[in-house]
Amino acid sequence: MKEIPEAVDAADVTSWSDEVDVVVIGFGISGGSAAVSAAAAGARVLVLEKAAAAGGTSAMAGGHFYLGGGTAVQQATGHDDTAEEMYSYLVAVSPEPDHEKIRAYCDGSVEHFNWLEDLGFQFERTFYPGKVVVPPGTEGLSYTGNEKVFPFTEKAKPAPRGHSVPVPGELGGAAMVIDLLVKRANELGAEVRYETGVTNLIVEDDSQEKRVVGVRWKHFTETGAIKANAVIIAAGGFAMNPDMVAEHTPALGQKRRTKHHGVVEPYILGNPNDDGLGIRMGVSAGGVAKSLDQLFITAAAYPPEILLTGIIVNKDGKRFVTEDSYHSRTSAFVLEQPDQVAYLIVDEDHMQMPEMPLIKFIDGWETVEEMEAALGIPEGNLVETLDRYNKYAAQGEDPDFHKQPDYVAPQTKGPWAAFDLSLGRAMYSGFTMGGLAVTVDGQVLREDGDVVPGLYAAGACASTIAQDGKGYSSGTQLGEGSFFGRRAGTHAAGR
């Protein structure tokens, strides 16, 4: 990792501008939750936010929180769920499950749901039944992951866990929760300073260990140092740092070729301060970062969900993913294909244009053989793949990928259409997922597994439950960011 800011020796600090119990770096969903929880536990809390207002990338989010175990919304809409089933599912979708964190998250999910509502809003007691990226209205519950997708249907009983705030639209719903956190922080006496960025951590380094005792800050041309018993880094990921993206998640920086505008920059889900500085500061104090190569990246083919009755093939005309997967799972498999090329094929009876223009309609052909030739797929491969799919689909079956029956339908009526899901041609967007290794209470870990005393991390700069795009569910970032932010704030207040 490049450009690690130097940790400042406390012995070199000549004066402190402030002395508090807890400093929180950043006021997004995790920083706000940490600040409120630390203040509620009686700590003197100071939040330093680099931007002119609270929110960060969290405020840009649509407002999904991944919660379960029997929330009031699940109960009101007739969806049985338990902490145990939620735990089984999250373990199943995680490549390297952190059982302690997943257990804590699932066991505490209903209480966390109640805590969020106690901020001053209510999730609607309504359910959106379709497969969608964001519910079109203000429905409070929907499926936002792979709960109903093979093989996870074999691992846990499916339940919808995507809880959406009552704000319609794809972006900005979470800003309402941020505003409520700002209000609650103010009521509890936590101080927030805007346009004030942290530049370095301050450490005491004796012969035994290095511990964090404060931060250096900058407000325009003014600088200073703050002494603290604990520092919580909640400064976001690194999606807006081109060097870190190129080093760790190059697919996220892939430029896109367009018909009318030539090559354009990728669309990244983030704000300018998602520069990885929080992660790098954590490393400077002895912390270790993990899973930095993992990312959420997607170009959703649905809605409409009828398109998922078709088949998705690579440049060799072979299927490689269950088409009814959550959109980032499909996209993660696309990235593993030869040249990262993939196509969605549907027939006339199942052809509709996507509601979001993320995947590119290529053309229609009267025969599959013509499509095969036009797409450069080896002769006979696509015909064979589609014939096999159609043979079993006529019986409502999909023995190769076990697509759910609702999405199994023969694609036999020409003409046939193809959509381009290839990286660099479809409109992919995403964010980074790796971060500082932490305990269940947010304490930053060193390479040897010991904690860095006085240092915590939460949200997108910490590695907690969400590990990769294949297993991601919408709402996990806001859910885990707020949940583990709370735990970090409470623990830090007790130091």
Side-chain angles (χ1 to χ4, degrees):
M1 189 185 299
K2 305 168 187 171
E3 297 182 29
I4 306 295
E6 190 174 353
V8 175
D9 192 326
D12 296 330
V13 178
T14 56
S15 64
W16 303 92
S17 63
D18 305 87
E19 187 167 343
V20 297
D21 296 320
V22 178
V23 165
V24 180
I25 305 173
F27 201 127
I29 196 73
S30 58
S33 299
V36 163
S37 299
R44 292 169 299 154
V45 179
L46 176 56
V47 185
L48 303 179
E49 169 54 59
K50 195 172 185 179
T57 299
S58 301
M60 301 164 63
H64 286 315
F65 287 81
Y66 194 82
L67 305 165
T71 67
V73 179
Q74 288 179 317
Q75 291 178 3
T77 56
H79 292 93
D80 293 334
D81 192 21
T82 65
E84 195 60 40
E85 291 292 353
M86 183 181 178
Y87 171 82
S88 296
Y89 172 73
L90 288 175
V91 167
V93 297
S94 303
E96 296 178 6
D98 186 319
H99 295 274
E100 185 183 13
K101 291 189 182 77
I102 295 173
R103 175 61 71 191
Y105 187 62
C106 297
D107 287 352
S109 190
V110 171
E111 185 276 333
H112 188 54
F113 169 92
N114 295 333
W115 181 86
L116 287 166
E117 289 205 327
D118 286 345
L119 291 173
F121 77 98
Q122 265 207 337
F123 294 99
E124 268 190 18
R125 270 54 172 170
T126 51
F127 172 65
Y128 183 82
K131 193 173 184 72
V132 69
V133 177
V134 176
T138 54
E139 295 87 352
L141 186 65
S142 59
Y143 279 96
T144 59
N146 293 292
E147 297 87 356
K148 294 168 76 174
V149 175
F150 185 86
F152 308 113
T153 48
E154 312 289 306
K155 311 283 187 182
K157 178 185 174 184
R161 302 190 182 102
H163 289 67
S164 302
V165 300
V167 178
E170 294 173 36
L171 298 173
M176 180 193 72
V177 184
I178 295 292
D179 291 343
L180 292 170
L181 282 169
V182 170
K183 180 182 177 186
R184 182 62 55 86
N186 183 58
E187 292 169 352
L188 291 168
E191 183 183 353
V192 185
R193 293 181 191 166
Y194 297 104
E195 298 179 311
T196 305
V198 172
T199 57
N200 309 82
L201 295 177
I202 299 174
V203 300
E204 283 184 353
D205 195 358
D206 58 30
S207 58
Q208 300 298 313
E209 61 185 5
K210 184 185 290 186
R211 60 182 179 274
V212 174
V213 296
V215 299
R216 288 199 63 85
W217 56 267
K218 183 175 183 180
H219 174 70
F220 298 109
T221 58
E222 193 179 354
T223 60
I226 297 170
K227 194 170 189 178
N229 292 334
V231 174
I232 302 174
I233 303 173
F238 61 89
M240 292 299 191
N241 183 321
D243 290 338
M244 288 185 74
V245 166
E247 181 180 356
H248 301 292
T249 58
L252 197 58
Q254 176 70 49
K255 296 183 180 182
R256 183 168 56 89
R257 187 173 299 280
T258 65
K259 186 174 181 180
H260 300 293
H261 303 288
V263 176
V264 299
E265 294 295 323
Y267 181 65
I268 293 175
L269 302 172
N271 79 89
N273 294 322
D274 283 335
D275 57 5
L277 180 59
I279 296 171
R280 289 179 282 130
M281 285 193 294
V283 172
S284 77
V288 62
K290 60 185 288 190
S291 304
L292 293 183
D293 60 338
Q294 294 301 325
L295 72 161
F296 170 98
I297 189 168
T298 190
Y302 62 88
E305 54 191 314
I306 192 172
L307 290 174
L308 304 182
T309 63
I311 61 170
I312 295 175
V313 299
N314 60 21
K315 65 181 287 188
D316 297 320
K318 306 295 185 182
R319 292 175 72 200
F320 57 87
V321 67
T322 309
E323 288 86 1
D324 60 347
S325 297
Y326 172 73
H327 50 88
S328 76
R329 180 172 176 81
T330 298
S331 297
F333 277 100
V334 170
L335 264 57
E336 295 178 352
Q337 301 311 302
D339 298 331
Q340 299 172 321
V341 168
Y343 305 105
L344 168 64
I345 314 296
V346 292
D347 72 356
E348 183 181 53
D349 282 348
H350 301 90
M351 164 63 183
Q352 289 183 25
M353 294 303 288
E355 292 178 20
M356 297 180 292
L358 304 179
I359 62 171
K360 177 184 172 187
F361 172 65
I362 302 173
D363 207 343
W365 291 269
E366 291 300 322
T367 69
V368 178
E369 288 82 358
E370 289 175 306
M371 174 188 284
E372 190 176 66
L375 296 178
I377 293 172
E379 185 177 350
N381 283 14
L382 181 58
V383 173
E384 180 183 344
T385 296
L386 194 57
D387 282 349
R388 177 175 173 82
Y389 174 77
N390 287 338
K391 172 187 171 184
Y392 288 101
Q395 303 163 39
E397 299 173 358
D398 179 21
D400 296 331
F401 288 88
H402 307 281
K403 189 157 56 167
Q404 294 304 300
D406 287 351
Y407 302 105
V408 175
Q411 308 292 311
T412 54
K413 185 179 179 184
W416 287 265
F419 293 89
D420 202 337
L421 277 63
S422 307
L423 185 68
R425 296 203 288 265
M427 188 183 294
Y428 279 87
S429 60
F431 51 81
T432 58
M433 297 186 77
L436 294 164
V438 293
T439 69
V440 71
D441 289 311
Q443 296 169 283
V444 173
L445 294 169
R446 300 189 314 214
E447 189 78 57
D448 62 6
D450 288 342
V451 302
V452 178
L455 186 62
Y456 297 77
C461 60
S463 179
T464 48
I465 289 177
Q467 293 185 335
D468 67 355
K470 285 183 180 177
Y472 191 78
S473 302
S474 284
T476 309
Q477 290 281 77
L478 291 180
E480 69 176 12
S482 52
F483 180 84
F484 290 106
R486 287 177 63 198
R487 289 187 71 113
T490 301
H491 197 278
R495 278 185 55 81

